[in-house]
Amino acid sequence: MNTTTPLVIVTGACGGIGAAVTQHLLTEGYAVLACDTQEQILSNTQHPTEKCEYYPLDVTDETCVQHLGDYLRQRRQPVQGLINCAGIVHAAPLLETTLEQWRTVHAVNADGVFLVTREVAQYMIEQQPQDPTNSRGIVTISSNAANVPRAEFGAYGASKAAATRVTTSFGLQLAPHGIRANVLCPGTTRTPMVTDSWNGEDRSQTPIKGSLENYRLGIPLGRIAEPEDIAEVATFLLSPRAKHVTMQSLTVDGGATF
């Protein structure tokens, strides 16, 4: 990888939105350090390019995340920013959710955002303590479930709400260093996290129509999102084009929540 090209770290880079974000960043000319679990990295070759390198990362392991920081310091490549895409879903009513399930979904969706953002931000400050152009950015992929109650996504929504708040709080602390931090909240998106539960069928009409029984609105724009839809917005928020945008949470769900 060319170590002079601005580098973006992407967690969950082998997943649906993470993979789309990685591809879009490469198209925009960034170099990408694509971070994900070792097993997925070994089997994933969808971004073979001199500007993309895979790095095995468990976002829930503080020591592993600290090693990422050490690796960045060894590279000395200018870091443009971070996009937190790593996430897991848990679909069950809270009354049927175990403490272990609660902790697992929070470990990835909330703790992971805190650990990786803290590590990468510290290195970005070391590289450039102040940036009057505000060109560097951090983006967390949260969820519209962080904004509204969900009948069967209580633990998931709570974990994403925590990810949202910790990111915007980082934004307040990082603003004097010229580093922006924003949140993107997708709705239902055509990723394996969603489609794996469809058992090979196209059930996209279910979220489009909504469910009065579950107090869930439909999608006014009449379609679920594609990963590329989210990647476009994430790349914009990361880029210097959004240099006066920080500590914001942008919902991208076709109007499903308002």
Side-chain angles (χ1 to χ4, degrees):
M1 183 189 294
N2 186 340
T3 57
T4 62
T5 304
L7 181 68
V8 179
I9 295 93
V10 179
T11 68
C14 295
I17 291 177
V21 165
T22 297
Q23 185 60 59
H24 200 269
L25 288 168
L26 292 170
T27 301
E28 291 282 308
Y30 294 104
V32 178
L33 189 65
C35 303
D36 213 308
T37 57
Q38 180 69 33
E39 292 80 5
Q40 289 173 302
I41 290 170
L42 291 175
S43 62
N44 190 299
T45 58
Q46 59 186 314
H47 303 301
T49 170
E50 69 279 359
K51 288 188 177 181
C52 184
E53 178 183 340
Y54 286 102
Y55 184 91
L57 181 68
D58 178 354
V59 300
T60 70
D61 185 328
E62 184 175 18
T63 300
C64 187
V65 173
Q66 289 171 342
H67 288 164
L68 169 65
D70 295 338
Y71 180 70
L72 292 173
R73 290 176 179 88
Q74 291 171 5
R75 294 176 60 91
R76 297 184 179 180
Q77 185 169 1
V79 173
Q80 175 73 28
L82 162 70
I83 301 186
N84 292 300
C85 296
I88 59 174
V89 69
H90 175 70
L94 286 173
L95 291 174
E96 300 172 14
T97 298
T98 67
L99 180 58
E100 181 180 1
Q101 291 170 329
W102 172 274
R103 286 174 171 167
T104 297
V105 73
H106 277 73
V108 177
N109 296 350
D111 297 352
V113 169
F114 163 68
L115 290 171
V116 177
T117 302
R118 183 184 64 177
E119 192 68 30
V120 173
Q122 286 173 340
Y123 177 62
M124 291 170 70
I125 293 170
E126 290 173 19
Q127 278 199 317
Q128 188 176 357
Q130 291 182 317
D131 177 10
T133 67
N134 304 322
S135 62
R136 297 174 295 173
I138 294 170
V139 179
T140 293
I141 305 300
S142 181
S143 169
N144 64 359
N147 306 327
V148 295
R150 291 290 194 212
E152 294 189 348
F153 291 90
Y156 175 75
S159 70
K160 288 297 191 176
T164 296
R165 182 54 62 235
V166 75
T167 301
T168 55
S169 295
F170 268 120
L172 185 61
Q173 184 174 352
L174 295 174
H177 302 283
I179 301 171
R180 298 167 292 102
N182 291 291
V183 180
L184 199 165
C185 294
T188 303
T189 305
R190 197 182 302 277
T191 67
M193 184 183 292
V194 172
T195 60
D196 282 352
S197 65
W198 290 356
N199 297 320
E201 303 175 19
D202 184 354
R203 300 182 184 176
S204 58
Q205 286 301 312
T206 300
I208 291 171
K209 292 179 180 178
S211 172
L212 290 177
E213 184 178 88
N214 290 315
Y215 305 97
R216 183 165 180 168
L217 298 176
I219 303 175
L221 286 182
R223 58 184 286 269
I224 66 172
E226 298 296 333
E228 294 74 19
D229 299 330
I230 311 306
E232 287 270 6
V233 182
T235 302
F236 165 73
L237 288 174
L238 177 87
S239 76
R241 290 172 291 179
K243 65 182 180 181
H244 204 55
V245 181
T246 194
M247 293 180 284
Q248 301 305 305
S249 178
L250 178 60
T251 300
V252 183
D253 66 0
T257 56
F258 55 89

